């Protein structure tokens, strides 16, 4: 049976016209509405509808014909793809029913939905993939739809599938074009030395735009070199950006913290109801579906890039997640480049300091030393006590100036130990300990290693002082040796005595030992203690050498 006023040839002509229209129009909503209108017209249906599926299998786009705007609004939420409509999707074959309610899969209609009896539906398929469904109800002039109606609807469903796929391919090509442009612009910004914050703002903006998200944010360690437990939103873009910017975020109790620990992308369907999230951030941003991607620099995760849709918004598809991961890599590259620039600038500064130190040492100090020697020679030949005293005073001033310059050099070039401070300090410390304790103590210090460890001189002197104090108070030793020497690529500060020893397996809660351990850890070293009862104790502080 054909629709009223339509012959079989008319129907074929109209189906052909529909195919030509699809080939000429890429505006998907208009094309799909035209298909549904044509299906209603060709089959004599009162109502028609077409649902397009999202990646999660839920209907995300719903086009209706035969309902007014008020009737549509009164029905409420679009269908969820269950019951008879779900059968079209999951079984992927046409379905023709005389009465919908008689089918066991029917789940009824929502409140305010118009009554419907006869039903004709078909899956929307292209290249074996189900994109949605199209269905018609309330055949006019007959109790049910005909086989000819079904054939026409299957053709229209196929055309709808082609239209949806073409539109998806077109959107994908446009998105890829915009993605390439964004990646190029961000890459240029990195290479031209734009500030890291400027690049991160571009990353957050482009990532949000390309996936169609409402909000984006970059969460990072609050301060470079600071504790990783302190995070903050350094960049925010889109909705609620002003409220989110600079918001503190804890490492513990946040998805950002979890993503940084695991270094894996996390996708949430609804962050507002997820107990793993930091709710102050989620509420301020009105975040529903969210993607969190780690930002990794130098092999360590230092933050996350998050993009979010509003509560109740569409979840993110796999392709969108991959795009966000691409932009997180761009953020990582920007931060890595900024770090490399800081290292280069720091290296240049150290080189300049080295040059100044060399000039001072090889030029100015040597000149002052020569002047001092000349004045001393003049003082010996002066023959006048007053002149001799003045010349000796001038020589003393020159000596003080030389010492000051050496200390300035020490500040400019930490690897150079001014006035042999560490070696002399250790030797003086051992001598003072021997005089006060009565223990025979000796110092054996590698002078080159002492110069290399000059930046840690204060810590090493304090560690030696603490260890010698323990020997004097507890060891009852007769002899003690303090040694500073190389062992392979490490430096070793060793304090050994022949005292009574102790059980190293027993807990030691003394403040002195705690101080030693904490100070050793603070300078990046390792503490090892060996002790035998009645034979003595050896304390070894093992230090990496740069």
């Amino acid at each position: 049976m054909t629709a009223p006023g339509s012959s079989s040839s008319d129907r074929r002509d109209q189906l052909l016209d529909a195919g030509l229209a699809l080939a000429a129009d890429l505006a998907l909503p208009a094309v799909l509405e035209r298909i549904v209108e044509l299906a209603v017209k060709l089959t004599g249906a009162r109502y028609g509808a077409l649902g397009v599926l999202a990646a999660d299998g839920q209907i995300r786009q719903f086009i209706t014909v035969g309902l007014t705007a008020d009737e549509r609004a009164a029905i409420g939420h679009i269908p969820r793809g269950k019951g008879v409509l779900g059968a079209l999707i999951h079984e992927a074959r046409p379905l023709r029913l005389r009465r919908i309610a008689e089918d066991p899969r029917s789940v009824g209609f929502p409140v305010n939905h118009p009554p419907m009896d006869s039903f004709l539906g078909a899956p929307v398929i292209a290249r074996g993939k189900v994109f949605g469904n199209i269905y018609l109800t309330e055949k006019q002039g007959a109790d049910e739809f005909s086989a000819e109606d079904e054939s026409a609807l299957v053709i229209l469903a196929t055309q709808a599938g082609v239209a949806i796929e073409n539109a998806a391919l077109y959107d994908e090509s446009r998105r890829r074009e915009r993605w390439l442009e964004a990646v190029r612009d961000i890459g240029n910004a990195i290479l031209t030395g734009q500030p890291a914050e400027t690049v991160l703002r571009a990353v957050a903006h482009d990532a949000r735009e390309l996936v169609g998200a409402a909000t984006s944010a970059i969460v990072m360690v609050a301060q470079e070199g600071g504790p990783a437990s302190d995070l903050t939103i350094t960049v925010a873009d889109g909705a609620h950006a002003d409220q989110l910017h600079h918001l503190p975020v804890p490492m513990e109790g946040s998805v950002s913290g979890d993503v940084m620990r695991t270094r894996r992308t996390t996708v949430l369907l609804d962050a507002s109801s997820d107990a793993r999230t930091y709710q102050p951030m989620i509420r301020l941003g009105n975040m529903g579906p969210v993607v969190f991607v780690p930002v990794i620099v130098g092999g360590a995760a230092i933050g996350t890039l998050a993009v979010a849709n509003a509560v109740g918004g569409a979840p993110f598809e796999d392709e969108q997640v991959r795009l966000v991961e691409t932009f997180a890599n761009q953020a990582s590259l920007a931060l890595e480049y900024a770090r490399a620039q800081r290292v280069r600038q720091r290296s240049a500064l150290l080189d300049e300091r080295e040059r100044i130190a060399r000039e001072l040492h090889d030029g100015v100090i040597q000149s002052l030393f020569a002047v001092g020697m000349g004045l001393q020679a003049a003082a010996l030949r002066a023959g006048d006590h007053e002149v001799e005293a003045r010349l000796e005073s001038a020589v003393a001033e020159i000596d003080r100036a030389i010492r000051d310059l050496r200390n300035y050099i020490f500040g400019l070039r930490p690897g150079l130990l001014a006035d042999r401070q560490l070696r002399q300090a250790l030797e003086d410390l051992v001598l003072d300990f021997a005089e006060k304790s009565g223990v025979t103590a000796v110092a054996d210090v590698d002078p080159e290693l002492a110069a290399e460890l000059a930046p840690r001189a204060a810590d090493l002197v304090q560690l030696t002082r603490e260890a010698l104090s323990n020997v004097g108070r507890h060891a009852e030793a007769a002899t003690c040796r303090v040694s500073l020497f190389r062992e392979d690529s490490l430096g070793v500060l060793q304090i050994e005595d022949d005292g009574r020893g102790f059980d190293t397996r027993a807990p030691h809660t003394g403040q002195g030992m705690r101080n030693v351990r904490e100070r050793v850890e603070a300078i990046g070293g390792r503490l090892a203690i060996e002790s035998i009862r009645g034979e003595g104790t050896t304390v070894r502080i093992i230090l990496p050498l740069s």
Side-chain angles (χ1 to χ4, degrees):
M1 178 186 295
T2 61
S6 295
S7 65
S8 296
S9 61
D10 289 339
R11 179 175 292 194
R12 284 194 298 271
D13 291 342
Q14 289 173 317
L15 290 172
L16 180 60
D17 290 342
L20 293 174
L22 292 176
D25 198 341
L26 282 174
L28 184 61
V31 170
L32 297 182
E33 186 171 2
R34 195 176 304 160
I35 287 174
V36 180
E37 289 173 347
L38 183 58
V40 167
K41 180 180 178 181
L42 289 178
T43 61
R46 182 173 181 181
Y47 303 109
L50 188 150
V52 181
L53 299 179
D56 61 355
Q58 299 292 316
I59 295 176
R60 64 175 170 85
Q61 188 177 357
F62 194 61
I63 298 168
T64 61
V65 172
L67 294 174
T68 67
D70 291 341
E71 289 174 327
R72 175 82 179 266
I75 294 173
H77 197 281
I78 64 175
R80 301 184 186 278
K82 298 181 179 179
V84 172
L85 299 185
L88 288 176
I89 296 169
H90 300 304
E91 296 179 11
R93 61 186 182 186
L95 180 62
R96 186 155 47 102
L97 301 173
R98 184 183 181 88
R99 292 178 60 84
I100 299 174
E102 294 176 355
D103 191 287
R105 293 166 294 188
S106 175
V107 293
F109 298 106
V111 178
N112 299 322
H113 195 286
M116 295 181 179
D117 285 327
S118 55
F119 176 90
L120 174 62
V124 174
I125 301 174
R127 296 188 183 183
K129 180 180 178 180
V130 177
F131 286 95
N133 55 39
I134 181 171
Y135 67 92
L136 309 169
T137 61
E138 294 297 286
K139 170 78 173 180
Q140 303 296 290
D143 292 336
E144 60 181 324
F145 292 94
S146 66
E148 192 175 9
D149 293 333
E150 181 177 323
S151 297
L153 186 64
V154 168
I155 293 173
L156 288 171
T158 302
Q159 292 175 334
V162 172
I164 293 171
E165 185 185 38
N166 285 344
L169 291 173
Y170 178 74
D171 287 344
E172 172 63 22
S173 67
R174 288 287 300 141
R175 186 163 57 244
R176 187 164 293 277
E177 181 181 343
R178 283 159 47 213
W179 171 75
L180 289 172
E181 290 175 357
V183 168
R184 181 198 63 205
D185 291 343
I186 291 171
N188 288 338
I190 293 171
L191 293 176
T192 55
Q194 293 289 320
E197 186 174 352
T198 300
V199 178
L200 293 180
R201 282 198 296 267
V203 166
H205 174 77
D206 291 343
R208 182 185 65 80
E209 286 278 313
L210 276 171
V211 301
T215 307
S216 63
I218 296 179
V219 179
M220 292 180 60
V221 174
Q223 183 177 4
E224 185 176 0
S229 58
D230 298 331
L231 308 176
T232 189
I233 297 179
T234 58
V235 173
D237 188 79
H240 314 288
D242 291 341
Q243 296 96 313
L244 290 169
H245 194 216
H246 293 317
L247 178 73
V249 177
M251 174 70 83
E252 297 295 332
S254 71
V255 177
S256 289
D258 292 340
V259 169
M260 288 173 64
R261 277 190 292 270
T262 62
R263 298 196 294 177
R264 293 183 178 179
T265 298
T266 295
V267 181
L268 303 180
L269 295 179
D270 184 9
S272 65
S273 61
D274 197 309
R276 295 172 293 173
T277 60
Y278 180 58
Q279 283 301 312
M281 170 182 168
I282 301 304
R283 285 194 297 268
L284 276 178
N286 188 34
M287 297 179 179
V290 187
V291 177
F292 292 88
V293 181
V295 175
I296 299 173
V297 176
I302 65 166
T304 62
L305 169 62
V307 297
N309 283 327
V311 174
F316 292 98
E317 301 179 7
D318 291 345
E319 180 64 24
Q320 292 174 307
V321 173
R322 285 192 289 271
L323 277 174
V324 178
E325 290 175 333
T326 298
F327 281 100
N329 290 337
Q330 290 287 96
S332 299
L333 181 60
L335 293 169
E336 185 70 57
Y337 185 82
R339 188 177 72 162
Q341 287 295 93
R342 289 195 299 272
V343 170
R344 185 185 65 80
Q345 292 166 1
R346 197 156 47 232
S347 177
L349 177 61
L350 291 175
D351 287 345
E352 180 63 10
R353 286 182 174 182
E354 178 73 17
R355 185 191 66 78
I356 295 171
R358 189 166 54 248
E359 292 293 332
L360 287 173
H361 184 270
D362 296 343
V364 178
I365 287 181
Q366 298 307 319
S367 297
L368 287 174
F369 186 75
V371 171
M373 292 289 289
L375 288 175
Q376 281 183 324
L380 292 173
R381 296 185 179 91
D384 184 316
H385 291 297
E386 184 178 352
V387 172
E388 183 179 346
R390 288 184 179 184
L391 290 174
E392 290 292 348
S393 176
V395 170
E397 285 296 326
I398 291 174
D399 285 342
R400 277 193 291 272
I402 290 174
R403 283 196 298 272
D404 288 343
L405 282 172
R406 282 177 173 165
N407 285 321
Y408 295 150
I409 293 171
F410 173 56
L412 289 169
R413 204 165 100 197
L416 177 66
L417 185 62
D419 296 338
R420 300 167 63 186
Q421 290 174 355
L422 178 56
R423 178 183 179 186
Q424 192 64 55
L426 292 177
E427 291 175 348
D428 291 346
L429 194 61
V430 171
L431 181 60
D432 183 65
F433 168 74
E435 291 175 353
K436 291 180 179 178
S437 67
V439 176
T440 300
V442 295
D444 183 8
V445 179
D446 180 336
E448 291 183 3
L449 179 58
E452 189 172 342
L453 292 173
R456 290 177 272 189
D459 290 299
L460 295 176
V461 168
Q462 186 57 38
L463 286 166
T464 305
R465 181 179 287 115
E466 190 72 50
L468 289 175
S469 175
N470 286 336
V471 172
R473 284 182 295 164
H474 307 298
E476 299 178 4
T479 64
C480 175
R481 174 182 290 270
V482 173
S483 306
L484 183 67
F485 57 92
R486 294 180 188 273
E487 191 173 85
D488 298 327
S489 60
L490 301 171
V492 179
L493 173 62
Q494 182 169 289
I495 302 93
E496 52 189 323
D497 66 73
D498 60 357
R500 59 178 182 154
F502 61 91
D503 185 357
T504 57
R505 295 171 299 178
H508 301 286
T509 58
Q511 186 63 41
M513 187 57 68
R514 284 200 299 274
N515 289 344
V516 169
R517 289 189 182 280
E518 290 172 2
R519 189 179 290 271
V520 170
E521 291 173 1
I523 61 175
R526 179 165 54 87
L527 178 66
I529 301 175
E530 299 175 2
S531 188
I532 301 174
R533 286 192 179 279
E535 296 186 17
T537 301
T538 300
V539 175
R540 286 168 58 88
I541 297 162
I542 303 160
L543 300 166
L545 299 176
S546 58

